[in-house]
Amino acid sequence: MSRVSGRALAGLALAALLVGCGGPGATTGSAPGSSASTSSSSSSSSSSSAPPAAKQVPAVGRSVPVALRIPAVGVDTPVMKLGLAAGGTVQVPPIQAHDRAGWYENSPTPGQTGPSVILGHVTVGAYGDGVFRHLGQLRRGERIEARLENGTTAVFTVTDVRTVAKANFPTKEVYGNVDRPELRLITCGGERTGDGYRDNVIVFAVLTGSGH
Amino acid sequence: MRRTGFSAMVIAATAVLAGAVPAFAAGTSATPSPAERATSAPSPVPTRTRPAGQEPSAVPTKRPAATDAPTRVPRDQVSVVPSGAPDTGVTAGSDSSNTGTLIGGGAAAAVVVGGGAVFLLRRRQANGE
């Protein structure tokens, strides 16, 4: 075999590799790349200084969430209202490009005592990555900010990230009463089954601050 | 008027009954109740010794239970709990699985081709070319 063909092969290999990475990586590289690097330092400091479960802060006034920021995984999204779908399941945000997160309107608003529930897609079909694409990469101690309609920002700290089979969805742990302001972020994860996913990824967080 | 009197009685009876429950619980947990009865100590004992007549003692013992109740058992914080698991991910049916296969296939091909290239280079070097 000649040298030329060898080079061509090597070039081909490189090109194939680039294509392979470009698919899933393209969307992650654009926005989150920069914010992820800055947040990793802040999140590590917050996790070391504040054990999330121990610290308790007073609840904030009731006001509907309008935006959600999770610097560690590059989330910065408007928040819509979600109700119940036919059949009693929770509504999910529409499948569209640049999809949004949604707050379940029968749960407390973020910062009120109780489990405030916010949902978002992991993928939105042909549109690619959903707003909660990287939710599963959140770690304990990382920061979630919910901006409310009245201008307050409720700041939460992640206490747990769980992947659970949809068949065993922990309804009580997600929607059950708690004695402090908490937050639940829900998306899908795990193996793909048909046009959906086998599991849910659930982030548990607790209110650790608020401001304007 | 008669009705008011009757409902007042009902309320009083309920208060006495409700008061008797925590008193009983306290009585079972605090073993030295006979001794305390003699000294007519705080609240749990009086309600036990004279439950019927003395409403004033029944009411105070009930009150702590009443103030506990609103914080302990409020209405559910999530007023309507959805059924099942949220469907928060759509894989674009056949389209996305195709692109998934393409990407996966591309990566696999890259590995194979890359491996082949390395192998060829090695062999060429081994041949002293």
Side-chain angles (χ1 to χ4, degrees), chain A residues 5 16 18-19 21-22 51 67 76 78-79 82 84 96 117 120 122-123 126 137 155 174 186 201:
Chain A
S5 68
L18 284 175
V19 168
C21 297
D76 192 347
V79 173
L82 299 171
L84 285 171
Q96 59 185 31
V117 178
V122 64
T123 52
Q137 293 166 16
V155 180
V174 172
I186 307 178
V201 172

Side-chain angles (χ1 to χ4, degrees), chain A residues 1-3 9 13 16-17 20 84 87-90 92 95 104 106 108 114-115 119-123 125-126 166 169 171 175 177-178 186-188 194-197 200, chain B residues 72 74-93 95-97 100 103 106-107 109-111 113-117 120-121 123-124 129:
Chain A
M1 219 181 224
S2 74
R3 171 161 292 200
L9 267 177
L17 265 174
L84 285 171
T89 58
V90 66
V92 294
I95 300 293
Y104 176 50
N106 291 320
L119 306 108
H121 290 289
V122 64
T123 52
K166 286 188 177 185
F169 188 79
T171 301
Y175 298 112
N177 288 0
V178 288
I186 307 178
T187 191
C188 286
D195 60 353
Y197 292 84
N200 278 119
Chain B
R72 270 297 145 95
R75 57 181 178 74
D76 286 336
Q77 290 161 347
V78 175
S79 56
V80 184
V81 173
S83 64
D87 204 5
T88 41
V90 175
T91 55
D95 281 5
S96 94
S97 61
I103 290 167
V111 170
V113 173
L120 280 175
L121 281 174
R123 205 174 63 174
R124 236 178 18 212
E129 203 177 333

Side-chain angles (χ1 to χ4, degrees), chain A residues 31-36 66-80 98-102 118 121 130-135 138 143-147 153 185:
Chain A
S34 53
S35 60
V66 292
L68 184 76
R69 263 189 88 231
I70 315 173
V73 289
V75 171
D76 192 347
T77 173
V79 173
M80 61 183 296
H98 310 295
D99 63 315
R100 292 166 287 172
I118 293 180
H121 290 289
V131 65
F132 278 177
R133 179 70 181 87
H134 303 291
L135 202 66
L138 265 178
R143 195 179 152 90
I144 302 167
E145 300 168 11
R147 207 175 75 242
T153 297
L185 304 181

Side-chain angles (χ1 to χ4, degrees), chain A:
Chain A
M1 219 181 224
S2 74
R3 171 161 292 200
V4 177
S5 68
R7 261 197 207 140
L9 267 177
L12 235 169
L14 243 177
L17 265 174
L18 284 175
V19 168
C21 297
T27 37
T28 57
S30 54
S34 53
S35 60
S37 57
T38 53
S39 66
S40 60
S41 54
S42 69
S43 65
S44 62
S45 65
S46 74
S47 66
S48 59
S49 64
K55 194 170 146 190
Q56 271 222 39
V57 295
V60 305
R62 180 179 168 83
S63 179
V64 169
V66 292
L68 184 76
R69 263 189 88 231
I70 315 173
V73 289
V75 171
D76 192 347
T77 173
V79 173
M80 61 183 296
K81 262 194 209 179
L82 299 171
L84 285 171
T89 58
V90 66
Q91 266 182 350
V92 294
I95 300 293
Q96 59 185 31
H98 310 295
D99 63 315
R100 292 166 287 172
W103 164 71
Y104 176 50
E105 64 182 354
N106 291 320
S107 73
T109 58
Q112 291 247 286
T113 299
S116 184
V117 178
I118 293 180
L119 306 108
H121 290 289
V122 64
T123 52
V124 279
Y127 303 106
D129 287 353
V131 65
F132 278 177
R133 179 70 181 87
H134 303 291
L135 202 66
Q137 293 166 16
L138 265 178
R139 294 288 166 260
R140 205 172 286 191
E142 285 177 329
R143 195 179 152 90
I144 302 167
E145 300 168 11
R147 207 175 75 242
L148 311 180
E149 205 174 34
N150 66 5
T152 306
T153 297
V155 180
F156 295 84
T157 302
V158 175
T159 54
D160 202 4
V161 182
R162 275 185 242 169
T163 301
V164 293
K166 286 188 177 185
N168 303 316
F169 188 79
T171 301
K172 206 176 158 192
E173 286 166 77
V174 172
Y175 298 112
N177 288 0
V178 288
D179 58 4
R180 57 185 179 176
E182 298 193 10
L183 184 67
R184 314 277 186 255
L185 304 181
I186 307 178
T187 191
C188 286
E191 279 175 31
R192 295 178 178 216
T193 57
D195 60 353
Y197 292 84
R198 189 192 61 188
D199 301 333
N200 278 119
V201 172
I202 309 170
V203 172
F204 295 79
V206 58
L207 186 73
T208 48
S210 61
H212 286 274

